Amino acid sequence: MTDPAPRPRLSPDPGALDRAAFVARYGGVYEDSPWIASAAHDAGLPPDAADPDRLAAAMEAVVARAPEAARLALLRAHPDLAGRLARAGGLTAASAAEQAGAGLDHCTAEEFAAFTALNDRYRARFGIPFIIAVRGMDRAAILAAFRTRVAHAPEVEIATALDQVHRIARLRLHALAAAA
């Protein structure tokens, strides 16, 4: 029996980086929120921080300990899906790639109108943008999830949005490990 292929690891090892280098490398894992990487480094990285799941858990713990206002600011740092910022080319590189991977850069006029209406309705209801990890999804699946989640109770939806943010961060860490 052969050993399974080794899992991709983050390189350089996050535990070997000083704070500035760590934040430079991992500060974008959470959308426009480098404070999470700073706080994770300051708290002490876990043993084997080169494992993307272990680093993801450490960063998620920072968010869990953060005050509610900081968690809401984290959610508000995310762009609308297929929104005006995306059309204007103003997304972070990671968000642009993720949205393009789901085909959101090729919406029909009808889909764009549906995203715009749902974005407006969702923001008015919850005060945050709709957040979903779009990897592996197409526009129809995203719109279906959007239509379902806009009806959630606010406390349920805030928790769901935070879960999705953590999923996005984990996927980004795995992508960094795979590219190393």
Side-chain angles (χ1 to χ4, degrees):
M1 176 179 244
T2 60
D3 290 332
R7 291 178 38 159
R9 300 179 55 77
L10 295 163
S11 181
D13 185 336
L17 300 175
D18 66 23
R19 184 177 199 262
F22 181 82
V23 173
R25 177 84 170 138
Y26 300 106
V29 168
Y30 280 86
E31 192 81 13
D32 286 333
S33 300
W35 63 269
I36 297 168
S38 295
H41 190 275
D42 291 349
L45 297 176
D48 200 20
D51 178 327
D53 289 323
R54 289 185 190 241
L55 185 56
M59 295 175 93
E60 187 172 333
V62 166
V63 175
R65 291 189 304 266
E68 181 181 5
R71 289 192 305 272
L72 288 173
L74 166 64
L75 296 176
R76 290 180 182 126
H78 283 261
D80 287 334
L81 290 179
R84 292 166 189 88
L85 190 61
R87 289 192 341 259
L91 298 178
T92 64
S95 283
E98 291 157 0
Q99 289 198 28
L104 295 178
D105 57 339
H106 290 98
C107 286
T108 65
E110 294 81 20
E111 290 168 332
F112 179 72
F115 273 109
T116 299
L118 284 164
N119 279 323
D120 292 346
R121 184 173 161 208
Y122 188 94
R123 275 191 183 271
R125 180 164 167 81
F126 302 113
I128 61 171
F130 176 74
I131 302 166
I132 190 167
V134 297
R135 184 170 295 161
M137 298 181 81
D138 62 17
R139 294 185 306 269
I142 296 165
L143 281 168
F146 211 153
R147 289 182 179 109
T148 298
R149 286 179 46 195
V150 76
H152 281 172
E155 63 277 2
V156 170
E157 190 51 31
I158 296 297
T160 301
L162 279 169
D163 287 344
Q164 290 296 307
V165 165
H166 294 312
R167 183 164 186 246
I168 292 164
R170 188 175 297 269
L171 289 168
R172 288 177 178 179
L173 285 170
H174 277 275
L176 287 170

Short mmCIF file of all heavy atoms in Angstrom, two decimals, residues 62-129:
data_model
loop_
_atom_site.label_atom_id
_atom_site.label_comp_id
_atom_site.label_asym_id
_atom_site.label_seq_id
_atom_site.Cartn_x
_atom_site.Cartn_y
_atom_site.Cartn_z
N VAL A 62 -9.97 34.17 15.71
CA VAL A 62 -9.83 35.63 15.88
C VAL A 62 -11.17 36.31 15.63
O VAL A 62 -11.59 37.18 16.39
CB VAL A 62 -8.74 36.19 14.94
CG1 VAL A 62 -8.81 37.71 14.85
CG2 VAL A 62 -7.36 35.74 15.38
N VAL A 63 -11.84 35.90 14.57
CA VAL A 63 -13.14 36.49 14.24
C VAL A 63 -14.15 36.18 15.34
O VAL A 63 -14.93 37.05 15.75
CB VAL A 63 -13.63 36.00 12.86
CG1 VAL A 63 -15.03 36.52 12.57
CG2 VAL A 63 -12.66 36.43 11.76
N ALA A 64 -14.14 34.96 15.84
CA ALA A 64 -15.09 34.57 16.89
C ALA A 64 -14.90 35.39 18.15
O ALA A 64 -15.88 35.70 18.84
CB ALA A 64 -14.94 33.08 17.20
N ARG A 65 -13.65 35.77 18.45
CA ARG A 65 -13.37 36.57 19.66
C ARG A 65 -13.59 38.06 19.45
O ARG A 65 -13.63 38.83 20.41
CB ARG A 65 -11.91 36.36 20.10
CG ARG A 65 -11.61 34.99 20.65
CD ARG A 65 -10.21 34.93 21.26
NE ARG A 65 -9.15 35.32 20.36
CZ ARG A 65 -8.43 34.49 19.61
NH1 ARG A 65 -8.68 33.19 19.64
NH2 ARG A 65 -7.48 34.93 18.83
N ALA A 66 -13.72 38.48 18.20
CA ALA A 66 -13.85 39.91 17.89
C ALA A 66 -15.21 40.43 18.33
O ALA A 66 -16.20 39.69 18.37
CB ALA A 66 -13.67 40.13 16.39
N PRO A 67 -15.27 41.71 18.66
CA PRO A 67 -16.57 42.30 19.01
C PRO A 67 -17.53 42.25 17.81
O PRO A 67 -17.11 42.18 16.65
CB PRO A 67 -16.24 43.75 19.37
CG PRO A 67 -14.78 43.89 19.31
CD PRO A 67 -14.19 42.65 18.73
N GLU A 68 -18.80 42.31 18.11
CA GLU A 68 -19.82 42.25 17.06
C GLU A 68 -19.60 43.31 15.98
O GLU A 68 -19.75 43.04 14.78
CB GLU A 68 -21.21 42.40 17.66
CG GLU A 68 -22.31 42.32 16.61
CD GLU A 68 -23.70 42.50 17.19
OE1 GLU A 68 -23.84 42.79 18.39
OE2 GLU A 68 -24.66 42.36 16.41
N ALA A 69 -19.21 44.51 16.38
CA ALA A 69 -18.99 45.59 15.41
C ALA A 69 -17.89 45.21 14.42
O ALA A 69 -17.98 45.51 13.23
CB ALA A 69 -18.65 46.89 16.12
N ALA A 70 -16.84 44.54 14.90
CA ALA A 70 -15.75 44.12 14.01
C ALA A 70 -16.22 43.03 13.06
O ALA A 70 -15.85 43.02 11.87
CB ALA A 70 -14.55 43.65 14.82
N ARG A 71 -17.04 42.10 13.56
CA ARG A 71 -17.57 41.04 12.69
C ARG A 71 -18.48 41.63 11.61
O ARG A 71 -18.42 41.23 10.45
CB ARG A 71 -18.30 39.98 13.51
CG ARG A 71 -17.35 39.13 14.36
CD ARG A 71 -18.03 37.90 14.95
NE ARG A 71 -19.21 38.19 15.73
CZ ARG A 71 -19.21 38.48 17.03
NH1 ARG A 71 -18.08 38.50 17.71
NH2 ARG A 71 -20.35 38.72 17.66
N LEU A 72 -19.30 42.61 11.98
CA LEU A 72 -20.16 43.25 10.98
C LEU A 72 -19.33 44.02 9.97
O LEU A 72 -19.63 44.02 8.77
CB LEU A 72 -21.18 44.16 11.67
CG LEU A 72 -22.30 43.43 12.41
CD1 LEU A 72 -23.15 44.43 13.20
CD2 LEU A 72 -23.15 42.62 11.45
N ALA A 73 -18.25 44.68 10.42
CA ALA A 73 -17.36 45.39 9.49
C ALA A 73 -16.72 44.40 8.52
O ALA A 73 -16.56 44.71 7.33
CB ALA A 73 -16.30 46.17 10.26
N LEU A 74 -16.35 43.23 9.02
CA LEU A 74 -15.81 42.18 8.15
C LEU A 74 -16.81 41.81 7.07
O LEU A 74 -16.47 41.73 5.89
CB LEU A 74 -15.44 40.95 8.99
CG LEU A 74 -15.16 39.66 8.23
CD1 LEU A 74 -13.94 39.80 7.33
CD2 LEU A 74 -14.96 38.51 9.22
N LEU A 75 -18.05 41.61 7.46
CA LEU A 75 -19.08 41.26 6.47
C LEU A 75 -19.28 42.40 5.48
O LEU A 75 -19.41 42.16 4.27
CB LEU A 75 -20.39 40.92 7.18
CG LEU A 75 -20.36 39.69 8.09
CD1 LEU A 75 -21.69 39.52 8.81
CD2 LEU A 75 -20.01 38.44 7.30
N ARG A 76 -19.29 43.61 5.97
CA ARG A 76 -19.51 44.76 5.08
C ARG A 76 -18.33 45.03 4.15
O ARG A 76 -18.48 45.77 3.17
CB ARG A 76 -19.82 46.00 5.92
CG ARG A 76 -21.19 45.90 6.58
CD ARG A 76 -21.53 47.11 7.42
NE ARG A 76 -22.82 46.92 8.04
CZ ARG A 76 -23.03 47.02 9.36
NH1 ARG A 76 -22.07 47.37 10.19
NH2 ARG A 76 -24.24 46.80 9.83
N ALA A 77 -17.19 44.44 4.41
CA ALA A 77 -16.02 44.60 3.54
C ALA A 77 -16.16 43.81 2.24
O ALA A 77 -15.42 44.04 1.29
CB ALA A 77 -14.74 44.17 4.27
N HIS A 78 -17.13 42.91 2.19
CA HIS A 78 -17.33 42.09 0.99
C HIS A 78 -18.12 42.85 -0.06
O HIS A 78 -19.02 43.62 0.26
CB HIS A 78 -18.04 40.78 1.36
CG HIS A 78 -17.11 39.80 1.99
ND1 HIS A 78 -16.53 38.77 1.33
CD2 HIS A 78 -16.62 39.75 3.25
CE1 HIS A 78 -15.74 38.11 2.12
NE2 HIS A 78 -15.77 38.70 3.31
N PRO A 79 -17.81 42.58 -1.33
CA PRO A 79 -18.54 43.24 -2.41
C PRO A 79 -19.86 42.53 -2.71
O PRO A 79 -20.05 41.36 -2.36
CB PRO A 79 -17.59 43.08 -3.60
CG PRO A 79 -16.90 41.78 -3.33
CD PRO A 79 -16.72 41.73 -1.82
N ASP A 80 -20.77 43.25 -3.34
CA ASP A 80 -21.99 42.62 -3.84
C ASP A 80 -21.63 41.65 -4.96
O ASP A 80 -20.69 41.90 -5.73
CB ASP A 80 -22.95 43.68 -4.41
CG ASP A 80 -23.61 44.53 -3.34
OD1 ASP A 80 -23.74 44.05 -2.19
OD2 ASP A 80 -23.99 45.67 -3.65
N LEU A 81 -22.37 40.56 -5.06
CA LEU A 81 -22.17 39.63 -6.16
C LEU A 81 -22.73 40.24 -7.44
O LEU A 81 -23.85 40.75 -7.44
CB LEU A 81 -22.86 38.30 -5.88
CG LEU A 81 -22.24 37.45 -4.77
CD1 LEU A 81 -23.05 36.17 -4.58
CD2 LEU A 81 -20.81 37.11 -5.08
N ALA A 82 -21.94 40.18 -8.50
CA ALA A 82 -22.35 40.73 -9.79
C ALA A 82 -22.83 42.17 -9.64
O ALA A 82 -23.76 42.60 -10.32
CB ALA A 82 -23.41 39.86 -10.45
N GLY A 83 -22.21 42.90 -8.74
CA GLY A 83 -22.63 44.26 -8.45
C GLY A 83 -21.88 45.31 -9.24
O GLY A 83 -21.06 45.02 -10.12
N ARG A 84 -22.16 46.55 -8.92
CA ARG A 84 -21.57 47.69 -9.63
C ARG A 84 -20.05 47.71 -9.52
O ARG A 84 -19.36 48.03 -10.47
CB ARG A 84 -22.17 48.99 -9.10
CG ARG A 84 -23.64 49.14 -9.46
CD ARG A 84 -24.32 50.26 -8.66
NE ARG A 84 -25.75 50.24 -8.86
CZ ARG A 84 -26.60 49.52 -8.14
NH1 ARG A 84 -26.17 48.77 -7.16
NH2 ARG A 84 -27.89 49.55 -8.40
N LEU A 85 -19.53 47.38 -8.33
CA LEU A 85 -18.08 47.36 -8.13
C LEU A 85 -17.43 46.33 -9.05
O LEU A 85 -16.39 46.59 -9.64
CB LEU A 85 -17.75 47.06 -6.66
CG LEU A 85 -16.31 47.22 -6.22
CD1 LEU A 85 -15.83 48.66 -6.41
CD2 LEU A 85 -16.17 46.81 -4.76
N ALA A 86 -18.06 45.19 -9.21
CA ALA A 86 -17.54 44.16 -10.10
C ALA A 86 -17.52 44.65 -11.54
O ALA A 86 -16.54 44.46 -12.26
CB ALA A 86 -18.37 42.88 -9.98
N ARG A 87 -18.60 45.28 -11.95
CA ARG A 87 -18.68 45.78 -13.33
C ARG A 87 -17.66 46.88 -13.59
O ARG A 87 -17.18 47.04 -14.70
CB ARG A 87 -20.09 46.27 -13.64
CG ARG A 87 -21.07 45.12 -13.76
CD ARG A 87 -22.41 45.54 -14.35
NE ARG A 87 -22.73 46.93 -14.30
CZ ARG A 87 -23.54 47.53 -13.42
NH1 ARG A 87 -24.12 46.82 -12.49
NH2 ARG A 87 -23.79 48.81 -13.47
N ALA A 88 -17.31 47.64 -12.55
CA ALA A 88 -16.36 48.73 -12.70
C ALA A 88 -14.92 48.25 -12.54
O ALA A 88 -13.99 49.05 -12.65
CB ALA A 88 -16.66 49.82 -11.66
N GLY A 89 -14.71 46.95 -12.26
CA GLY A 89 -13.36 46.42 -12.11
C GLY A 89 -12.73 46.76 -10.77
O GLY A 89 -11.51 46.75 -10.65
N GLY A 90 -13.55 47.00 -9.75
CA GLY A 90 -13.03 47.43 -8.46
C GLY A 90 -12.92 46.34 -7.41
O GLY A 90 -12.71 46.65 -6.24
N LEU A 91 -13.05 45.08 -7.79
CA LEU A 91 -12.94 43.99 -6.81
C LEU A 91 -11.49 43.67 -6.50
O LEU A 91 -10.60 43.94 -7.31
CB LEU A 91 -13.60 42.72 -7.37
CG LEU A 91 -15.09 42.77 -7.68
CD1 LEU A 91 -15.54 41.44 -8.26
CD2 LEU A 91 -15.89 43.11 -6.45
N THR A 92 -11.25 43.06 -5.35
CA THR A 92 -9.92 42.52 -5.08
C THR A 92 -9.67 41.42 -6.11
O THR A 92 -10.62 40.86 -6.69
CB THR A 92 -9.81 41.93 -3.67
OG1 THR A 92 -10.70 40.81 -3.56
CG2 THR A 92 -10.11 42.98 -2.58
N ALA A 93 -8.42 41.10 -6.33
CA ALA A 93 -8.09 40.05 -7.31
C ALA A 93 -8.76 38.73 -6.95
O ALA A 93 -9.28 38.04 -7.83
CB ALA A 93 -6.57 39.88 -7.40
N ALA A 94 -8.76 38.39 -5.65
CA ALA A 94 -9.37 37.13 -5.23
C ALA A 94 -10.87 37.13 -5.51
O ALA A 94 -11.41 36.16 -6.05
CB ALA A 94 -9.09 36.88 -3.75
N SER A 95 -11.56 38.21 -5.16
CA SER A 95 -13.01 38.27 -5.40
C SER A 95 -13.33 38.25 -6.89
O SER A 95 -14.27 37.58 -7.32
CB SER A 95 -13.62 39.52 -4.76
OG SER A 95 -13.75 39.35 -3.38
N ALA A 96 -12.54 38.97 -7.67
CA ALA A 96 -12.78 38.99 -9.12
C ALA A 96 -12.64 37.58 -9.70
O ALA A 96 -13.47 37.15 -10.51
CB ALA A 96 -11.81 39.95 -9.80
N ALA A 97 -11.60 36.86 -9.29
CA ALA A 97 -11.39 35.50 -9.80
C ALA A 97 -12.51 34.57 -9.35
O ALA A 97 -12.99 33.75 -10.13
CB ALA A 97 -10.04 34.98 -9.33
N GLU A 98 -12.93 34.70 -8.10
CA GLU A 98 -14.00 33.84 -7.59
C GLU A 98 -15.31 34.10 -8.31
O GLU A 98 -16.00 33.16 -8.73
CB GLU A 98 -14.15 34.04 -6.08
CG GLU A 98 -12.96 33.50 -5.29
CD GLU A 98 -12.76 34.13 -3.93
OE1 GLU A 98 -13.55 35.03 -3.54
OE2 GLU A 98 -11.80 33.74 -3.25
N GLN A 99 -15.65 35.36 -8.49
CA GLN A 99 -16.90 35.69 -9.19
C GLN A 99 -16.83 35.26 -10.65
O GLN A 99 -17.80 34.72 -11.19
CB GLN A 99 -17.23 37.17 -9.04
CG GLN A 99 -17.67 37.54 -7.63
CD GLN A 99 -18.41 38.85 -7.53
OE1 GLN A 99 -19.05 39.30 -8.48
NE2 GLN A 99 -18.35 39.49 -6.36
N ALA A 100 -15.69 35.46 -11.29
CA ALA A 100 -15.54 35.04 -12.68
C ALA A 100 -15.63 33.52 -12.79
O ALA A 100 -16.23 33.00 -13.73
CB ALA A 100 -14.22 35.54 -13.25
N GLY A 101 -15.08 32.80 -11.82
CA GLY A 101 -15.13 31.35 -11.84
C GLY A 101 -16.56 30.82 -11.79
O GLY A 101 -16.83 29.72 -12.27
N ALA A 102 -17.46 31.59 -11.21
CA ALA A 102 -18.87 31.20 -11.15
C ALA A 102 -19.66 31.79 -12.31
O ALA A 102 -20.88 31.64 -12.38
CB ALA A 102 -19.49 31.65 -9.83
N GLY A 103 -18.97 32.47 -13.22
CA GLY A 103 -19.64 33.05 -14.39
C GLY A 103 -20.38 34.34 -14.11
O GLY A 103 -21.16 34.81 -14.95
N LEU A 104 -20.13 34.96 -12.95
CA LEU A 104 -20.85 36.19 -12.62
C LEU A 104 -20.41 37.38 -13.47
O LEU A 104 -21.11 38.39 -13.50
CB LEU A 104 -20.69 36.51 -11.13
CG LEU A 104 -21.33 35.48 -10.20
CD1 LEU A 104 -21.07 35.84 -8.74
CD2 LEU A 104 -22.82 35.34 -10.47
N ASP A 105 -19.30 37.24 -14.16
CA ASP A 105 -18.85 38.30 -15.06
C ASP A 105 -19.51 38.19 -16.44
O ASP A 105 -19.26 39.00 -17.31
CB ASP A 105 -17.33 38.29 -15.20
CG ASP A 105 -16.78 36.96 -15.68
OD1 ASP A 105 -17.46 35.92 -15.55
OD2 ASP A 105 -15.63 36.96 -16.18
N HIS A 106 -20.38 37.19 -16.61
CA HIS A 106 -21.07 36.99 -17.89
C HIS A 106 -22.59 36.89 -17.70
O HIS A 106 -23.27 36.14 -18.40
CB HIS A 106 -20.55 35.72 -18.58
CG HIS A 106 -19.16 35.86 -19.08
ND1 HIS A 106 -18.06 35.40 -18.38
CD2 HIS A 106 -18.67 36.45 -20.20
CE1 HIS A 106 -16.97 35.68 -19.06
NE2 HIS A 106 -17.30 36.32 -20.16
N CYS A 107 -23.11 37.64 -16.75
CA CYS A 107 -24.56 37.61 -16.50
C CYS A 107 -25.32 38.17 -17.70
O CYS A 107 -24.88 39.11 -18.35
CB CYS A 107 -24.91 38.48 -15.28
SG CYS A 107 -24.45 37.74 -13.71
N THR A 108 -26.47 37.57 -17.94
CA THR A 108 -27.39 38.14 -18.92
C THR A 108 -28.00 39.39 -18.31
O THR A 108 -27.90 39.62 -17.10
CB THR A 108 -28.51 37.15 -19.27
OG1 THR A 108 -29.30 36.94 -18.09
CG2 THR A 108 -27.96 35.82 -19.78
N ALA A 109 -28.67 40.18 -19.11
CA ALA A 109 -29.34 41.37 -18.59
C ALA A 109 -30.37 40.99 -17.52
O ALA A 109 -30.49 41.68 -16.50
CB ALA A 109 -30.01 42.14 -19.73
N GLU A 110 -31.08 39.89 -17.73
CA GLU A 110 -32.08 39.44 -16.77
C GLU A 110 -31.41 39.01 -15.46
O GLU A 110 -31.90 39.31 -14.37
CB GLU A 110 -32.92 38.30 -17.34
CG GLU A 110 -33.78 38.69 -18.52
CD GLU A 110 -33.00 38.75 -19.85
OE1 GLU A 110 -31.90 38.13 -19.97
OE2 GLU A 110 -33.49 39.44 -20.76
N GLU A 111 -30.31 38.27 -15.56
CA GLU A 111 -29.60 37.85 -14.36
C GLU A 111 -29.02 39.05 -13.61
O GLU A 111 -29.12 39.12 -12.38
CB GLU A 111 -28.47 36.87 -14.71
CG GLU A 111 -28.96 35.52 -15.17
CD GLU A 111 -27.86 34.67 -15.79
OE1 GLU A 111 -26.89 35.24 -16.35
OE2 GLU A 111 -27.96 33.43 -15.70
N PHE A 112 -28.46 39.96 -14.36
CA PHE A 112 -27.91 41.15 -13.71
C PHE A 112 -29.02 41.92 -12.98
O PHE A 112 -28.83 42.35 -11.84
CB PHE A 112 -27.21 42.07 -14.72
CG PHE A 112 -26.67 43.31 -14.08
CD1 PHE A 112 -25.57 43.27 -13.25
CD2 PHE A 112 -27.30 44.53 -14.28
CE1 PHE A 112 -25.10 44.41 -12.63
CE2 PHE A 112 -26.85 45.67 -13.67
CZ PHE A 112 -25.74 45.61 -12.84
N ALA A 113 -30.18 42.05 -13.60
CA ALA A 113 -31.31 42.72 -12.95
C ALA A 113 -31.73 41.97 -11.68
O ALA A 113 -32.02 42.60 -10.65
CB ALA A 113 -32.48 42.85 -13.92
N ALA A 114 -31.74 40.65 -11.74
CA ALA A 114 -32.11 39.85 -10.56
C ALA A 114 -31.08 40.04 -9.45
O ALA A 114 -31.44 40.23 -8.28
CB ALA A 114 -32.23 38.37 -10.94
N PHE A 115 -29.78 40.00 -9.79
CA PHE A 115 -28.73 40.21 -8.78
C PHE A 115 -28.85 41.61 -8.17
O PHE A 115 -28.74 41.77 -6.94
CB PHE A 115 -27.33 40.01 -9.36
CG PHE A 115 -26.87 38.58 -9.33
CD1 PHE A 115 -26.77 37.86 -10.51
CD2 PHE A 115 -26.53 37.97 -8.13
CE1 PHE A 115 -26.33 36.54 -10.48
CE2 PHE A 115 -26.10 36.65 -8.10
CZ PHE A 115 -26.00 35.93 -9.29
N THR A 116 -29.08 42.61 -8.99
CA THR A 116 -29.19 43.98 -8.49
C THR A 116 -30.37 44.11 -7.52
O THR A 116 -30.22 44.67 -6.43
CB THR A 116 -29.33 44.97 -9.66
OG1 THR A 116 -28.15 44.87 -10.48
CG2 THR A 116 -29.47 46.40 -9.17
N ALA A 117 -31.51 43.58 -7.90
CA ALA A 117 -32.70 43.66 -7.04
C ALA A 117 -32.47 42.90 -5.73
O ALA A 117 -32.82 43.38 -4.64
CB ALA A 117 -33.92 43.13 -7.78
N LEU A 118 -31.89 41.70 -5.83
CA LEU A 118 -31.63 40.92 -4.62
C LEU A 118 -30.58 41.58 -3.74
O LEU A 118 -30.71 41.58 -2.51
CB LEU A 118 -31.22 39.49 -4.99
CG LEU A 118 -32.36 38.59 -5.46
CD1 LEU A 118 -31.83 37.35 -6.15
CD2 LEU A 118 -33.26 38.21 -4.28
N ASN A 119 -29.52 42.12 -4.36
CA ASN A 119 -28.51 42.83 -3.57
C ASN A 119 -29.15 43.98 -2.79
O ASN A 119 -28.88 44.15 -1.59
CB ASN A 119 -27.39 43.37 -4.47
CG ASN A 119 -26.36 42.34 -4.86
OD1 ASN A 119 -26.01 41.47 -4.07
ND2 ASN A 119 -25.86 42.43 -6.09
N ASP A 120 -29.98 44.76 -3.46
CA ASP A 120 -30.63 45.90 -2.79
C ASP A 120 -31.55 45.43 -1.66
O ASP A 120 -31.54 45.99 -0.56
CB ASP A 120 -31.41 46.74 -3.81
CG ASP A 120 -30.51 47.46 -4.79
OD1 ASP A 120 -29.28 47.56 -4.56
OD2 ASP A 120 -31.03 47.94 -5.83
N ARG A 121 -32.34 44.42 -1.94
CA ARG A 121 -33.28 43.90 -0.93
C ARG A 121 -32.53 43.30 0.26
O ARG A 121 -32.88 43.54 1.42
CB ARG A 121 -34.16 42.84 -1.59
CG ARG A 121 -35.23 42.29 -0.69
CD ARG A 121 -36.16 41.38 -1.49
NE ARG A 121 -36.87 40.51 -0.58
CZ ARG A 121 -37.32 39.32 -0.90
NH1 ARG A 121 -37.16 38.84 -2.13
NH2 ARG A 121 -37.94 38.59 -0.01
N TYR A 122 -31.47 42.56 -0.01
CA TYR A 122 -30.69 41.91 1.03
C TYR A 122 -30.01 42.95 1.92
O TYR A 122 -30.07 42.87 3.15
CB TYR A 122 -29.66 40.98 0.38
CG TYR A 122 -28.91 40.11 1.34
CD1 TYR A 122 -29.35 38.81 1.61
CD2 TYR A 122 -27.76 40.55 1.97
CE1 TYR A 122 -28.65 37.99 2.49
CE2 TYR A 122 -27.07 39.74 2.85
CZ TYR A 122 -27.53 38.46 3.10
OH TYR A 122 -26.83 37.65 3.97
N ARG A 123 -29.36 43.95 1.30
CA ARG A 123 -28.70 45.01 2.09
C ARG A 123 -29.70 45.77 2.94
O ARG A 123 -29.42 46.11 4.08
CB ARG A 123 -27.95 45.97 1.17
CG ARG A 123 -26.56 45.51 0.82
CD ARG A 123 -25.79 46.64 0.14
NE ARG A 123 -24.49 46.20 -0.25
CZ ARG A 123 -23.41 46.25 0.53
NH1 ARG A 123 -23.49 46.73 1.74
NH2 ARG A 123 -22.26 45.82 0.09
N ALA A 124 -30.88 46.06 2.39
CA ALA A 124 -31.89 46.78 3.16
C ALA A 124 -32.38 45.93 4.35
O ALA A 124 -32.62 46.47 5.43
CB ALA A 124 -33.08 47.13 2.27
N ARG A 125 -32.46 44.66 4.17
CA ARG A 125 -32.96 43.77 5.23
C ARG A 125 -31.91 43.49 6.31
O ARG A 125 -32.22 43.47 7.49
CB ARG A 125 -33.43 42.45 4.61
CG ARG A 125 -33.97 41.45 5.62
CD ARG A 125 -34.77 40.36 4.91
NE ARG A 125 -35.05 39.25 5.77
CZ ARG A 125 -36.03 39.19 6.68
NH1 ARG A 125 -36.84 40.22 6.82
NH2 ARG A 125 -36.19 38.12 7.42
N PHE A 126 -30.64 43.26 5.89
CA PHE A 126 -29.62 42.80 6.84
C PHE A 126 -28.50 43.81 7.10
O PHE A 126 -27.73 43.63 8.04
CB PHE A 126 -29.01 41.48 6.35
CG PHE A 126 -30.02 40.38 6.17
CD1 PHE A 126 -30.29 39.89 4.91
CD2 PHE A 126 -30.72 39.86 7.25
CE1 PHE A 126 -31.22 38.88 4.72
CE2 PHE A 126 -31.65 38.84 7.07
CZ PHE A 126 -31.91 38.36 5.80
N GLY A 127 -28.35 44.81 6.25
CA GLY A 127 -27.30 45.80 6.45
C GLY A 127 -25.92 45.32 6.06
O GLY A 127 -24.91 45.95 6.39
N ILE A 128 -25.85 44.21 5.34
CA ILE A 128 -24.59 43.64 4.86
C ILE A 128 -24.81 43.15 3.44
O ILE A 128 -25.96 42.96 3.02
CB ILE A 128 -24.11 42.46 5.74
CG1 ILE A 128 -25.14 41.32 5.75
CG2 ILE A 128 -23.77 42.93 7.17
CD1 ILE A 128 -24.68 40.04 6.42
N PRO A 129 -23.73 42.91 2.69
CA PRO A 129 -23.91 42.30 1.37
C PRO A 129 -24.17 40.80 1.49
O PRO A 129 -23.81 40.18 2.50
CB PRO A 129 -22.55 42.56 0.68
CG PRO A 129 -21.58 42.63 1.80
CD PRO A 129 -22.34 43.24 2.97
#
